[in-house]
Amino acid sequence: MKQTQLLSKSPDTKKFVYVSVGKDEHPVMVKDAGTLYETLQKAGKKNWTVEYKMMETDNHATILHRSLYEGLVKMFPYKEPQK
């Protein structure tokens, strides 16, 4: 598989990959997002964090901003300031 060969060439440096798709997207988009997630999971990169989220209430028109926001929250979780 081409994707396996390409991923094997990618260095195992720390990465966070967030894949999301709207539940109401076209079925091809939903399938391809799932396949991408599975392929990245199987890449065997110990320093990669790969997450997948099905956005239950979103579609093609609404997913971008919510998905970006949720991905950033995962990368930079809010912490109460130390007093």
Side-chain angles (χ1 to χ4, degrees):
M1 296 174 106
K2 280 187 179 180
Q3 64 268 31
T4 304
Q5 291 173 332
L6 288 172
L7 287 172
S8 70
K9 294 177 183 177
S10 183
D12 191 11
T13 55
K14 186 174 180 176
K15 287 183 176 61
F16 175 74
V17 182
Y18 181 71
V19 179
S20 66
V21 66
K23 184 177 181 181
D24 293 329
E25 289 272 12
H26 189 278
V28 171
M29 295 289 291
V30 174
K31 178 185 161 292
D32 287 351
T35 301
L36 173 61
Y37 171 71
E38 289 171 8
T39 301
L40 292 171
Q41 283 285 94
K42 293 176 185 174
K45 305 293 184 175
K46 293 178 183 172
N47 292 307
W48 289 14
T49 301
V50 182
E51 294 193 22
Y52 175 85
K53 181 165 186 179
M54 172 69 70
M55 307 290 276
E56 297 290 330
T57 60
D58 288 290
N59 59 38
H60 192 75
T62 62
I63 189 161
L64 176 63
H65 296 97
R66 188 181 321 269
S67 178
L68 181 59
Y69 173 79
E70 293 208 14
L72 288 170
V73 167
K74 292 230 178 234
M75 285 180 68
F76 307 104
Y78 176 75
K79 295 176 186 164
E80 288 289 332
Q82 297 285 335
K83 292 185 179 187

